[in-house]
């Protein structure tokens, strides 16, 4: 039987008029359960106009921040801190301003200088991390590119000096196109929930190569897997340009990839090995597919992977699920892939406003009791929460084979 999803009848969070960093959009929240209670902690994406950094002849920049919220009733209601961002981009423009000190004490390029978007929270072993999709420089009002006629603001705050010289530095190469690079931070939950934001995030470094492709929807499995005779970290990612990656010509469109590396630092280097996991297969996946939030262990070497797909601007996004199974000395493979549109925009407040595309986009999922609780972005402007009976969902996904055909 198809599982029944329950949704809030209003947004869990929405933009706050007059809050300079969250006046326009509050969306795409990541969630994690408190290890010592039933509280749920959230990091959400937010933006608003930032005239403090406006350049003459340009729109206001719209840097993207992370905010913090907490639920004490399993996601029914949320207390958000809109007094200040939990994590803010540095917004430097000169060459010497584009560095940050990482968790190892090294001065490194700051790929998160312009934006920190779409967080995903997960454990690697016993340590908590968060990934964010980052740009070197903030865009202007970026939703104008989806309207008619389109207005491109992506490069308004890329300084002219970036385009000088040969540009052999990978950071400069990605900054010139202002593409997304996914960055890993270590997350101190105790500091975060106490509002000690300055000490809550430790910069680890990039997980993707911006000069190879814009790359989003990036997060790791919590456990290493034995692949090619070595214990390796395994990561999910979704490159926009799949051609530089194995199987890219066959996929042809933005697709879900696995990557394996012996160290986390190796992911953003040629040392990582990539394997195509899933490309668009069903009608509602025609434009792209991407993993939605970190995998959940099911036992017996199986993992639940939530994923999203987009058909086109009018049809919008769909959320569905697949189950992966680990292989002996190799990458995990899909054993069940649900071909049904299980979650999509239906409620009035999930319908498009500034963006033309209907969008329900999950970015967090945790199991509490019998329920899978999911957090999602709606209409690219608000945040929502949904629940589904976890065992019933798994039972339904298992009725499909790896190609989405009913067994």
């Amino acid at each position: 039987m198809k599982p029944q999803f329950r949704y809030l009848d209003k947004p869990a969070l929405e933009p706050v008029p007059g809050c300079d960093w969250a006046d326009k959009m509050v969306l795409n929240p990541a969630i994690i359960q408190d290890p010592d209670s039933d509280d749920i902690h959230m990091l959400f994406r937010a933006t608003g106009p930032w005239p403090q950094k406006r350049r003459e002849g340009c729109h206001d920049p719209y840097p993207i921040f992370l905010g913090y919220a907490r639920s004490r009733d399993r996601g029914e209601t949320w207390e958000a801190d809109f007094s200040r961002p939990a994590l803010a981009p540095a917004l430097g423009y000169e060459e010497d301003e584009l560095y940050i000190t990482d968790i190892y004490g090294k001065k490194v390029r700051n790929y998160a200088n312009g934006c920190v978007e779409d967080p995903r929270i997960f454990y690697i072993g016993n340590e908590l991390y968060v990934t964010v999709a980052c740009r070197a420089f903030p865009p202007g009002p970026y939703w104008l590119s989806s309207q008619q006629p389109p207005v491109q603001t992506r490069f308004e705050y890329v300084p002219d000096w970036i385009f000088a010289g040969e540009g052999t530095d990978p950071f400069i190469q990605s900054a010139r196109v202002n593409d997304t690079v996914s960055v890993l931070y270590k997350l101190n939950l105790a500091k975060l929930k106490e509002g000690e934001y300055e000490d809550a995030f430790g910069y680890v470094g990039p997980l993707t190569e911006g000069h190879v492709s814009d790359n989003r929807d990036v997060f790791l499995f919590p456990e290493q897997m034995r692949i090619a005779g070595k214990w390796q970290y395994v990561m999910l990612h979704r490159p926009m340009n799949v051609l530089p990656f194995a199987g890219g010509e066959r996929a042809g469109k933005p697709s879900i990839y696995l990557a394996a590396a012996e160290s986390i630092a190796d992911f953003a280097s040629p040392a990582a090995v990539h394997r195509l996991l899933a490309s668009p297969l069903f009608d509602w996946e025609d434009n792209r597919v991407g993993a939605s939030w970190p995998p959940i262990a099911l036992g017996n070497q199986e993992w639940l992977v939530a994923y999203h797909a987009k058909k086109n601007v009018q049809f919008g996004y769909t959320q569905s699920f697949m189950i992966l199974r680990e292989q002996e000395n190799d990458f995990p493979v899909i054993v069940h892939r649900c071909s049904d549109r299980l979650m999509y925009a239906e409620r009035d407040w999930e319908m498009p406003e500034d963006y033309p595309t209907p969008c329900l986009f999950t970015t967090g999922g945790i199991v509490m009791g019998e329920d899978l609780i999911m957090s999602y972005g709606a209409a690219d402007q608000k945040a929502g929460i949904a629940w589904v009976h976890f065992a019933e969902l798994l039972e339904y996904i298992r009725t499909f084979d790896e190609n989405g055909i009913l067994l």
Side-chain angles (χ1 to χ4, degrees):
M1 181 181 296
K2 195 169 185 176
Q4 299 298 306
F5 292 79
R6 180 172 71 87
Y7 299 85
L8 292 176
D9 58 5
K10 61 181 180 179
L13 295 176
E14 54 190 326
V16 177
C19 179
D20 52 5
W21 59 274
D23 180 81
K24 183 64 179 178
M25 297 176 181
V26 171
L27 70 157
N28 293 3
I31 53 175
I32 192 77
Q33 183 181 350
D34 194 290
D36 301 318
S37 72
D38 283 344
D39 288 2
I40 304 174
H41 304 282
M42 173 190 285
L43 288 172
F44 57 87
R45 165 182 166 178
T47 191
W50 205 251
Q52 302 95 309
K53 289 284 187 175
R54 183 171 185 170
R55 298 171 68 183
E56 186 176 354
C58 298
H59 297 84
D60 280 343
Y62 277 77
I64 297 172
F65 305 83
L66 296 188
Y68 170 70
R70 182 174 189 157
S71 174
R72 304 177 190 274
D73 53 12
R74 299 197 173 199
E76 299 286 350
T77 60
W78 292 86
E79 306 159 12
D81 179 8
F82 286 106
S83 67
R84 68 197 195 283
L87 182 63
L91 301 179
Y93 290 105
E94 301 305 324
E95 206 278 341
D96 62 350
E97 296 177 315
L98 301 177
Y99 290 87
I100 191 171
T101 301
D102 66 15
I103 61 171
Y104 310 106
K106 297 179 181 178
K107 186 178 179 182
V108 296
R109 287 291 195 183
N110 184 7
Y111 283 87
N113 177 70
C115 294
V116 285
E117 311 177 23
D118 300 350
R120 269 67 169 226
I121 304 172
F122 52 92
Y123 284 93
I124 304 175
N126 295 320
E127 300 287 345
L128 193 61
Y129 292 86
V130 58
T131 51
V132 281
C134 301
R135 297 188 194 275
F137 301 100
Y142 48 90
W143 57 92
L144 297 181
S145 64
S146 300
Q147 298 181 356
Q148 294 299 326
V151 177
Q152 180 58 260
T153 68
R154 179 174 170 179
F155 301 99
E156 287 189 344
Y157 287 88
V158 179
D160 293 339
W161 67 262
I162 283 285
F163 300 97
E166 295 182 3
T168 55
D169 180 346
F171 176 83
I172 299 296
Q173 290 176 350
S174 60
R176 285 178 174 178
V177 290
N178 214 18
D179 268 346
T180 299
V181 174
S182 289
V183 171
L184 183 67
Y185 283 84
K186 201 168 186 179
L187 181 62
N188 186 321
L189 186 60
K191 299 290 187 182
L192 179 71
K193 66 186 184 182
E194 293 302 320
E196 298 176 25
Y197 301 145
E198 295 78 8
D199 299 319
F201 299 87
Y203 188 93
V204 179
L207 292 174
T208 62
E209 297 179 279
H211 62 286
V212 175
S213 174
D214 185 287
N215 209 327
R216 290 175 170 268
D217 306 324
V218 176
F219 28 86
L220 276 72
F221 286 79
E223 304 168 4
Q224 290 181 301
M225 299 181 189
R226 189 168 181 81
I227 298 172
K230 298 172 285 190
W231 288 102
Q232 302 195 57
Y233 295 97
V234 181
M235 182 177 81
L236 287 154
H237 65 110
R238 193 230 63 196
M240 180 62 75
N241 176 18
V242 295
L243 294 180
F245 297 91
E249 289 189 6
R250 174 163 51 93
K253 298 174 181 179
S255 299
I256 305 172
Y257 271 81
L258 293 163
E262 293 183 66
S263 73
I264 290 175
D266 281 345
F267 280 118
S269 80
V273 177
H274 302 267
R275 176 77 59 84
L276 177 65
L277 177 67
S279 54
L281 181 61
F282 315 126
D283 176 68
W284 46 270
E285 298 176 342
D286 187 59
N287 179 267
R288 71 186 65 174
V289 293
S292 292
W293 34 267
I296 293 177
L298 302 178
N300 298 317
Q301 296 187 307
E302 290 188 333
W303 299 86
L304 177 70
V305 172
Y307 79 101
H308 57 269
K310 180 182 177 182
K311 179 177 180 179
N312 54 38
V313 171
Q314 294 75 30
F315 193 85
Y317 282 87
T318 295
Q319 300 292 316
S320 194
F321 301 85
M322 59 180 68
I323 293 175
L324 310 188
R325 183 176 297 149
E326 295 179 40
Q327 302 296 294
E328 183 68 30
N329 205 30
D330 204 353
F331 284 94
V333 299
I334 301 170
V335 290
H336 303 284
R337 181 173 176 176
C338 179
S339 54
D340 274 354
R341 301 187 69 213
L342 291 184
M343 303 174 72
Y344 50 91
E346 296 181 276
R347 285 143 289 279
D348 289 344
W349 58 271
E350 297 168 349
M351 292 298 121
E353 293 182 21
D354 288 326
Y355 278 101
T357 304
C359 185
L360 186 157
F361 191 89
T362 64
T363 41
I366 58 174
V367 177
M368 295 186 70
E370 295 184 340
D371 287 332
L372 172 63
I373 305 174
M374 288 167 285
S375 53
Y376 66 91
D380 274 319
Q381 285 194 286
K382 306 177 183 74
I385 301 292
W387 296 259
V388 66
H389 192 280
F390 190 51
E392 291 178 2
L393 174 67
L394 296 179
E395 182 181 8
Y396 188 68
I397 299 167
R398 294 185 190 278
T399 64
F400 297 87
D401 70 8
E402 69 273 19
N403 296 310
I405 299 171
L406 280 168
L407 296 169

